[in-house]
Amino acid sequence: MATTKDQIQIGGNIFEQRHGKERVRVGRVWRSGDNRHNFVEWNVSISLLSDCVNAYVSADNSDIVATDTMKNTVYVKAKECKEQVSVEEFAIILAKHFTSFYPQVTTAIVKIVEKPWERISMNGQPHDHGFKLGSEKHTTEVIVQKNGSLGVTSGVVGLSLLKTTQSGFEGFIRDQNTILPETRERMLATEVSASWRYQFKSLSSISNKPLQFTEKYLRVKKVLMDTFFGPPKEGVYSPSVQATLYDMAKAVLGRFPDISSVHLKMPNIHFLPVNLSSKVNPVIVKFEDDVYLPTDEPHGSIEASLSRPLSKM
């Protein structure tokens, strides 16, 4: 059996290992010259592929990067960022550090979830240092190898979308277990989890433009929502979650040439029509596309990826 560069053969067996630190939480405030503050809160996970097999097989820890050191490095690197950086940029900074500073580390994988703190406005004026917690979260996964190769994936989780019309579901398979009626008029709700991979292949291919990933994140999120909802007045008809998911993924690839692939997971969160009656009162609540029972268990699960040729998600 052939082994990869991250595998070794020990006593006829194939051995793979990695170690890291999970859920390192860090908050960072940047203060500009006009006393306007910017704030982020990140949850960082680090995984290192390194030549430290002796720690496992010989109880020799001399090649181990302590996970506590990894935790402390997160705070040190956050402190060193004198100007505001995006979550992707910070992940690259961390991954680059671990692969360049430690000779035995061959690959660093850094995943970060950014908590959605948003600046508040009072009387129409943005507050200099006031923030409120939003909903969807910005995510990233960065993989850096010692030779400088790079992989950057960004994403959004918890993006809850709902439209009260312009949705239907018809023509699906019907058998003895099917009771769902066909309809051209229903509510459509979902909680989007999306991730997209950039074309960048090396650290040298990243430009120095500040907050470029944050800007792209906001633009991708807008394309996803615009495709889901359609124009403000007339909207856009959705014949199924599957068709809408595909249109959203296709729109992202069509709009952003530096994105090589996109993955979408869109559970169908149900709002069930309510129409109650009894012998005493034949119509207590008559459904007229107006009263629903919200439920998220069980829900449909729809998931797909769309990639450019020769691209792997």
Side-chain angles (χ1 to χ4, degrees):
M1 175 181 177
T3 61
T4 70
K5 61 181 179 181
D6 298 321
Q7 301 173 330
I8 64 168
Q9 190 165 339
I10 301 177
N13 298 317
I14 303 300
F15 181 65
E16 296 180 76
Q17 55 79 28
R18 65 177 64 186
H19 75 293
K21 198 73 166 180
E22 300 279 341
R23 300 181 64 82
V24 182
R25 296 179 62 182
V26 56
R28 181 64 160 97
V29 176
W30 288 277
R31 297 172 173 84
S32 60
D34 58 358
N35 206 33
R36 183 180 176 89
H37 296 185
N38 290 294
F39 174 72
V40 295
E41 181 183 345
W42 292 325
N43 193 319
V44 182
S45 296
I46 301 162
S47 184
L48 303 183
L49 281 63
S50 63
D51 184 9
C52 59
V53 175
N54 287 336
Y56 295 86
V57 301
S58 303
D60 178 1
N61 296 333
S62 58
D63 289 322
I64 284 285
V65 180
T67 65
D68 189 68
T69 302
M70 298 182 203
K71 176 203 69 179
N72 295 338
T73 301
V74 171
Y75 301 120
V76 170
K77 292 301 178 182
K79 178 72 172 179
E80 290 178 355
C81 293
K82 302 303 181 183
E83 301 294 332
Q84 185 178 0
V85 295
S86 68
V87 64
E88 289 89 351
E89 290 169 314
F90 188 64
I92 291 172
I93 288 169
L94 285 174
K96 184 178 178 181
H97 166 80
F98 288 117
T99 54
S100 61
F101 189 79
Y102 298 102
Q104 68 273 35
V105 174
T106 58
T107 303
I109 303 169
V110 179
K111 300 179 181 180
I112 306 180
V113 177
E114 180 172 312
K115 208 164 184 177
W117 290 105
E118 302 170 349
R119 188 179 305 278
I120 66 167
S121 292
M122 300 184 67
N123 300 322
Q125 181 178 355
H127 201 287
D128 278 352
H129 54 267
F131 300 84
K132 69 177 180 67
L133 192 60
S135 53
E136 67 271 9
K137 297 178 181 178
H138 183 172
T139 67
T140 193
E141 179 185 81
V142 166
I143 302 175
V144 172
Q145 297 183 359
K146 190 174 288 294
N147 63 7
S149 67
L150 171 70
V152 179
T153 301
S154 296
V156 59
V157 295
L159 179 61
S160 297
L161 305 178
L162 178 151
K163 57 183 181 180
T164 56
T165 187
Q166 287 284 54
S167 173
F169 191 47
E170 301 174 284
F172 50 88
I173 294 173
R174 305 198 70 87
D175 57 34
Q176 67 273 17
N177 297 320
T178 304
I179 60 174
L180 181 69
E182 298 190 4
T183 181
R184 285 190 61 81
E185 178 59 45
R186 67 172 183 171
M187 187 179 293
L188 178 59
T190 187
E191 186 176 283
V192 179
S193 295
S195 60
W196 52 93
R197 176 168 291 177
Y198 290 99
Q199 299 268 29
F200 310 120
K201 298 297 183 183
S202 66
L203 289 168
S204 60
S205 64
I206 300 293
S207 75
N208 295 323
K209 182 182 178 182
L211 299 177
Q212 59 178 312
F213 288 105
T214 300
E215 177 186 350
K216 186 61 64 66
Y217 165 79
L218 294 173
R219 291 174 61 198
V220 171
K221 190 170 66 168
K222 183 177 186 302
V223 167
L224 292 172
M225 292 190 294
D226 288 351
T227 308
F228 180 89
F229 291 114
K233 294 298 184 183
E234 61 270 25
V236 62
Y237 183 71
S238 171
S240 66
V241 177
Q242 286 86 344
T244 296
L245 182 153
Y246 179 76
D247 287 343
M248 291 165 69
K250 186 171 64 171
V252 171
L253 291 188
R255 189 72 59 88
F256 305 104
D258 57 348
I259 291 178
S260 61
S261 57
V262 58
H263 179 87
L264 288 171
K265 184 174 183 179
M266 293 173 54
N268 192 358
I269 300 174
H270 301 295
F271 284 75
L272 306 179
V274 173
N275 191 355
L276 302 177
S277 64
S278 69
K279 292 181 179 179
V280 177
N281 189 343
V283 179
I284 297 176
V285 177
K286 183 178 180 181
F287 179 65
E288 296 175 334
D289 298 320
D290 54 359
V291 179
Y292 298 84
L293 170 63
T295 178
D296 57 5
E297 294 181 358
H299 62 247
S301 178
I302 296 92
E303 186 172 358
S305 298
L306 188 65
S307 304
R308 300 186 193 279
L310 305 180
S311 172
K312 294 181 180 180
M313 190 65 187

